[in-house]
Amino acid sequence: MKKFLLLFLFVASQIVSKADEGMWLPLLITQNYDAMQRMGLKLTPEQIYSINNSSMKDAIVHFGGGCTAEIISANGLLLTNHHCGYDAIASLSKVSQNYLANGFMATSTEQELPAPGLSVKFLSRMEDVTDRVNKYLGDAYGKNVETKFEEIAKEITKAANENGTYESDVKSFYGGNKYYLFVYQRFTDIRLVSAPPENLGKFGGDTDNWMWPRHTCDFSMFRVYCNNENKPAAYSKNNRPYIPKHHLPVSLKGVKDNDYAMIMGYPGRTTRYLTSYGVDLAINVSNPAIVKIRDKRLSIMREEMEKDPEVDLMYASSYASIANYWKYFIGQTEQLKNLNILAQKEKEESEFSRWGANTKNYGKLMGDYQKAYAAYTPYAKHQTYYREAIMASSVTRLAAMFESMEKALDAEVSADSINTLCKRLKNGQAITLKNMNVNLDKKVFAALNLLFYQDVPKAQHPDVFGKVVFAKFGSDDWQETFDAYADYVYNKTALLDTSRFAELCNADNIEELLDDPAVVHALSVVKNYKTYYEPKINEFNYEMFELNRAYQGALLEKNGNKQMYPDANSTMRLTYGKVNSYSPKDAVFFNYYTMADGLLQKYKAGDKEFDLQPKVVDLLKNKDYGAYADRDLGGLVTCFITTNDITGGNSGSPVINGNGELIGCAFDGNWEAMSGDVAFDKRYKRTICADIRYILWVVDKVLDGRKLIDEMTVRY
Ligand code: ARG
């Protein structure tokens, strides 16, 4: 009997400890519900996901396309990360009125700042449409799968949209083994309510990014506005705050090690079923290329940004996102190696192949993967350098728009059509000029074209290198050559001059623009890529689709009815686990929380990453934590970590306790598990969260926004 009980406990603990891995579809919550309950969940499945009644999912939104936010008041108040609101905050700032640097707090709804271009999507429902999609796809291959998928998705979503009431899409899961329809409501009148000063919202900068222990107060707040019927509407002065179906109550009770924690949000992309061949390519080719290119690009940006506060503000957001994934790829490579992910995958694959040898289709799957990667590898660098280096220049991206102009001229379209295209180009020009610094862009252009020249195999080069760059500016000093070439392009091009461009971009003068040096450059690199390399990359992707569908389909079969979660794909997911400390390496222990004293320990006056405002320093020195202090610890908890399984896109997600209350806002992952998007490591993988009490402390004490807190449902 005792033995039996022990066995039962062992099996149960296996299930429980497996809980942290997995980004589950909320629709399928009942599958995980028992485990969640055992770990401390007090809610019913219906309270988390329901299409008939209001539930937790109604408080979670896809924010700005790449992040998550949650509703935290009955008046449509949204909480997300600072790094998610960053671009909007920077765009609303001027050097003379710098909300990014100083923070922002609207003291009344009138003061809330419309953030043009920002929108949020609420999930209304989701539905399994696998049978319909598969029936329509039949045995299509390659490009045909794409085309047919678009056709059937259009048909399915058209009905679901109900004449514009909703916006929906069909997404593929398990590499194309399942398809789900998602129906959303999109709100486009979103206003900035509150942001911490950058040195709190991004405290620790790139040095602390992707690292624990952390003290960053990575939050910002927005509000959803709607029309009088509580429906989405374009911005209008007369719009009013949205009344949500559900908002998350806020708990000031704090967290303890091993407390239940769950996260709902919109993870963007994982490749947990990537094969060893893919890992090998990432470690040895793609990741080092991205890091090398971004290293160069960032150092040029930094140099120009430091010279001029206008340039600094203009590029702040793009710098932050480039730097974020620069460090991500350094960490991913390091941990793929440290944690022996290649060997781990190889082991899984040989086990799979042994199993597959007995079934008719799977025996040669891994061999097919190997062949596909071998065929693609010679062009992998080209693709990375095209995207990361060639297209890093704003002028090149603008000039690349001439591809369609050239096609139109070849097709001898009417003067009207040319003029229509010109209108689009002038629009593109206006946007480009508004968001660029010519000197910075020129330096990036020179340096990254040189990198392409040096690193991409010669046989794959566009003809502009020989015909223009070296023909006109060739020397033994390649740096000099590319600098001179960049001077020539940027001095001569009409693309940087609105009136000259307006004069030339019309049916009468358009031929002259095709000889513009920026256009010549862009068309050479774009056409070279699209004619010779894109087809190979597409072929690889089509082949990958087939193989992944077979592989993940086989894994579903192999696992029998055991649960298997699909890769992230920017659809709503739920992950459950617990608050938990960890040991990053021998003899080192990382506590599960950090405290405000740590802010002062890291503080460096005048430093770009570790500075704090005098007011904040005073508050910290006086230990003025108000109601936000932790009773047991006698201080302010700043951040904590959980075992939840998240990735980019989850940024801003609510961290929720067993009672459905908000305890934190998820904002990062930790260094020791940076390979997590490819393979989840149970020992190390943690989610880094800003404690909700830290956020409220900043709102109340630093930004004097007590009124905002009164709007929330706070549980003491
Ligand atoms: N690593 C975080 C994420 O991808 C973003 C952190 C932003 N902060 C920064 N210093 N760049 O979710």
Side-chain angles (χ1 to χ4, degrees):
M1 178 70 195
K2 206 165 166 198
K3 217 169 172 183
F4 185 74
L5 187 71
L6 274 179
L7 183 71
F8 170 77
L9 282 178
F10 175 73
V11 172
S13 76
Q14 288 290 91
I15 297 169
V16 170
S17 61
K18 243 198 119 43
D20 26 34
E21 177 173 2
M23 302 169 172
W24 306 97
L25 282 164
L27 174 72
L28 306 176
I29 182 156
T30 42
Q31 286 182 350
N32 295 299
Y33 185 66
D34 284 350
M36 292 165 77
Q37 235 185 349
R38 269 199 304 275
M39 292 182 71
L41 176 67
K42 302 284 189 311
L43 305 177
T44 63
E46 277 280 298
Q47 286 176 301
I48 295 174
Y49 181 89
S50 163
I51 42 174
N52 302 315
N53 301 304
S54 74
S55 58
M56 215 159 78
K57 78 125 172 60
D58 296 315
I60 320 289
V61 302
H62 201 189
F63 180 89
C67 277
T68 303
E70 52 278 5
I71 300 269
I72 54 167
S73 90
N75 298 312
L77 185 63
L78 277 179
L79 171 66
T80 187
N81 285 153
H82 184 256
H83 76 264
C84 294
Y86 200 87
D87 192 52
I89 301 164
S91 301
L92 291 166
S93 296
K94 291 183 280 226
V95 173
S96 58
Q97 195 171 45
N98 197 336
Y99 304 132
L100 195 61
N102 307 323
F104 177 76
M105 176 60 71
T107 50
S108 65
T109 45
E110 286 75 42
Q111 284 188 15
E112 297 177 356
L113 302 173
L118 195 57
S119 69
V120 304
K121 280 192 320 191
F122 285 82
L123 177 65
S124 160
R125 65 187 175 90
M126 56 180 291
E127 186 188 324
D128 189 340
V129 292
T130 310
D131 292 343
R132 256 187 96 180
V133 174
N134 276 341
K135 203 168 144 212
Y136 192 80
L137 293 183
D139 49 14
Y141 174 82
K143 177 84 189 147
N144 267 336
V145 178
E146 248 174 44
T147 315
K148 294 200 94 176
F149 175 73
E150 272 164 32
E151 286 165 6
I152 186 68
K154 203 168 161 191
E155 201 179 300
I156 295 173
T157 53
K158 196 175 163 205
N161 288 346
E162 295 178 19
N163 294 320
T165 311
Y166 297 104
E167 178 184 310
S168 48
D169 51 23
V170 176
K171 291 265 185 144
S172 147
F173 291 75
Y174 301 105
N177 284 282
K178 279 248 172 224
Y179 292 92
Y180 285 92
L181 163 73
F182 293 82
V183 182
Y184 300 100
Q185 227 181 359
R186 184 189 290 278
F187 288 77
T188 54
D189 185 353
I190 307 299
R191 305 187 193 173
L192 176 65
V193 176
S194 163
E198 184 179 16
N199 55 30
L200 276 174
K202 202 183 166 186
F203 184 78
D206 291 327
T207 302
D208 272 10
N209 193 15
W210 300 112
M211 300 269 189
W212 180 257
R214 198 65 161 278
H215 298 83
T216 314
C217 200
D218 198 342
F219 87 93
S220 58
M221 291 183 194
F222 290 80
R223 196 185 302 279
V224 184
Y225 278 75
C226 60
N227 67 17
N228 274 329
E229 279 104 55
N230 211 36
K231 295 268 156 54
Y235 169 79
S236 154
K237 246 188 17 266
N238 303 324
N239 283 350
R240 59 163 180 73
Y242 171 67
I243 299 169
K245 288 195 205 134
H246 184 72
H247 70 271
L248 297 176
V250 169
S251 167
L252 292 192
K253 283 169 278 193
V255 296
K256 293 269 179 298
D257 212 359
N258 291 312
D259 273 359
Y260 177 82
M262 66 182 169
I263 290 177
M264 261 174 124
Y266 281 87
R269 195 177 120 89
T270 54
T271 50
R272 296 268 164 85
Y273 303 99
L274 190 72
T275 59
S276 58
Y277 309 102
V279 173
D280 187 50
L281 187 72
I283 291 179
N284 294 307
V285 183
S286 321
N287 289 8
I290 298 173
V291 172
K292 181 175 179 187
I293 298 165
R294 290 190 176 208
D295 242 340
K296 188 77 211 169
R297 185 174 179 186
L298 288 167
S299 79
I300 294 170
M301 292 177 81
R302 225 165 22 238
E303 204 181 304
E304 296 305 309
M305 287 164 77
E306 273 162 17
K307 283 186 204 159
D308 182 346
E310 298 272 354
V311 181
D312 191 53
L313 188 55
M314 181 187 276
Y315 280 91
S317 173
S318 106
Y319 185 93
S321 55
I322 297 166
N324 189 29
Y325 274 82
W326 159 78
K327 195 168 177 188
Y328 169 93
F329 283 110
I330 295 174
Q332 189 190 64
T333 312
E334 190 175 312
Q335 305 314 347
L336 284 171
K337 289 181 183 168
N338 272 349
L339 300 174
N340 276 319
I341 303 299
L342 192 68
Q344 182 188 314
K345 294 267 179 186
E346 280 169 352
K347 201 172 140 224
E348 283 165 21
E349 287 157 20
S350 39
E351 196 210 316
F352 174 85
S353 292
R354 243 176 287 128
W355 171 81
N358 303 323
T359 60
K360 49 188 184 312
N361 295 322
Y362 310 132
K364 58 190 237 335
L365 200 59
M366 288 305 146
D368 290 345
Y369 266 115
Q370 186 182 18
K371 269 182 241 148
Y373 273 99
Y376 168 68
T377 300
Y379 312 105
K381 234 179 181 179
H382 194 125
Q383 191 193 16
T384 304
Y385 274 74
Y386 179 76
R387 215 182 46 224
E388 294 273 333
I390 297 287
M391 288 301 160
S393 139
S394 300
V395 166
T396 305
R397 289 199 302 277
L398 175 62
M401 289 174 76
F402 272 86
E403 205 200 346
S404 45
M405 180 62 86
E406 197 186 43
K407 280 193 188 136
L409 289 170
D410 285 347
E412 300 185 12
V413 301
S414 67
D416 275 354
S417 309
I418 298 296
N419 290 333
T420 309
L421 277 175
C422 274
K423 214 168 139 194
R424 207 183 301 158
L425 281 163
K426 282 173 202 161
N427 244 331
Q429 186 197 34
I431 295 167
T432 305
L433 293 182
K434 201 175 139 236
N435 297 304
M436 80 179 268
N437 172 273
V438 176
N439 205 31
L440 187 156
D441 202 62
K442 185 172 80 177
K443 287 190 170 170
V444 166
F445 176 91
L448 299 199
N449 272 289
L450 171 56
L451 275 192
F452 184 103
Y453 182 77
Q454 289 171 320
D455 293 352
V456 174
K458 264 244 153 54
Q460 297 178 22
H461 284 188
D463 63 1
V464 71
F465 287 157
K467 281 194 184 148
V468 188
V469 182
F470 280 87
K472 281 191 199 281
F473 307 100
S475 74
D476 292 340
D477 186 335
W478 290 353
Q479 175 79 54
E480 228 166 68
T481 297
F482 277 87
D483 283 346
Y485 174 59
D487 277 338
Y488 156 80
V489 171
Y490 280 70
N491 289 339
K492 286 251 153 38
T493 182
L495 268 51
L496 293 171
D497 181 334
T498 1
S499 54
R500 233 175 95 213
F501 190 68
E503 240 168 69
L504 293 175
C505 205
N506 52 60
D508 297 334
N509 300 319
I510 192 69
E511 295 286 344
E512 200 176 313
L513 271 180
L514 288 182
D515 293 330
D516 184 280
V519 176
V520 169
H521 177 85
L523 290 186
S524 171
V525 292
V526 170
K527 280 176 2 193
N528 178 56
Y529 175 75
K530 292 204 174 166
T531 314
Y532 304 110
Y533 305 103
E534 199 176 55
K536 296 188 197 301
I537 291 155
N538 287 342
E539 197 41 56
F540 172 72
N541 288 332
Y542 299 146
E543 185 66 17
M544 274 306 118
F545 177 79
E546 293 296 319
L547 294 176
N548 290 340
R549 183 164 59 183
Y551 185 34
Q552 292 181 41
L555 287 174
L556 283 166
E557 184 185 324
K558 182 169 178 274
N559 288 346
N561 281 329
K562 256 197 275 140
Q563 292 178 45
M564 181 173 137
Y565 62 91
D567 265 321
N569 60 357
S570 295
T571 57
M572 190 190 275
R573 302 297 176 91
L574 182 147
T575 152
Y576 59 100
K578 56 192 180 187
V579 175
N580 209 195
S581 47
Y582 73 107
S583 165
K585 56 183 169 198
D586 185 38
V588 180
F589 174 76
F590 276 167
N591 211 349
Y592 67 91
Y593 62 88
T594 56
M595 296 189 74
D597 287 345
L599 272 169
L600 285 177
Q601 287 162 12
K602 286 180 177 174
Y603 166 59
K604 258 188 250 158
D607 187 87
K608 189 136 179 56
E609 299 185 309
F610 293 96
D611 203 3
L612 290 169
Q613 292 175 319
K615 176 179 181 181
V616 175
V617 175
D618 282 347
L619 285 166
L620 291 172
K621 284 195 170 147
N622 296 332
K623 300 194 182 298
D624 185 355
Y625 305 137
Y628 312 105
D630 188 283
R631 290 229 180 102
D632 298 331
L633 299 169
L636 182 69
V637 172
T638 42
C639 298
F640 64 89
I641 45 176
T642 67
T643 59
N644 294 308
D645 187 1
I646 70 162
T647 188
N650 266 120
S651 282
S653 293
V655 190
I656 299 165
N657 66 15
N659 298 317
E661 298 159 339
L662 185 70
I663 50 178
C665 188
F667 70 93
D668 212 354
N670 59 326
W671 192 249
E672 298 79 15
M674 289 291 286
S675 44
D677 286 346
V678 176
F680 186 97
D681 189 290
K682 284 177 57 60
R683 287 161 299 172
Y684 298 123
K685 183 99 163 107
R686 295 293 181 275
T687 286
I688 302 177
C689 319
D691 193 298
I692 193 64
R693 296 168 298 174
Y694 182 25
I695 294 172
L696 296 192
W697 177 75
V698 170
V699 167
D700 185 349
K701 300 276 178 173
V702 178
L703 298 166
D704 301 311
R706 178 74 228 179
K707 249 181 82 184
L708 216 52
I709 297 175
D710 293 339
E711 202 187 308
M712 304 171 193
T713 305
V714 181
R715 298 197 179 145
Y716 295 90

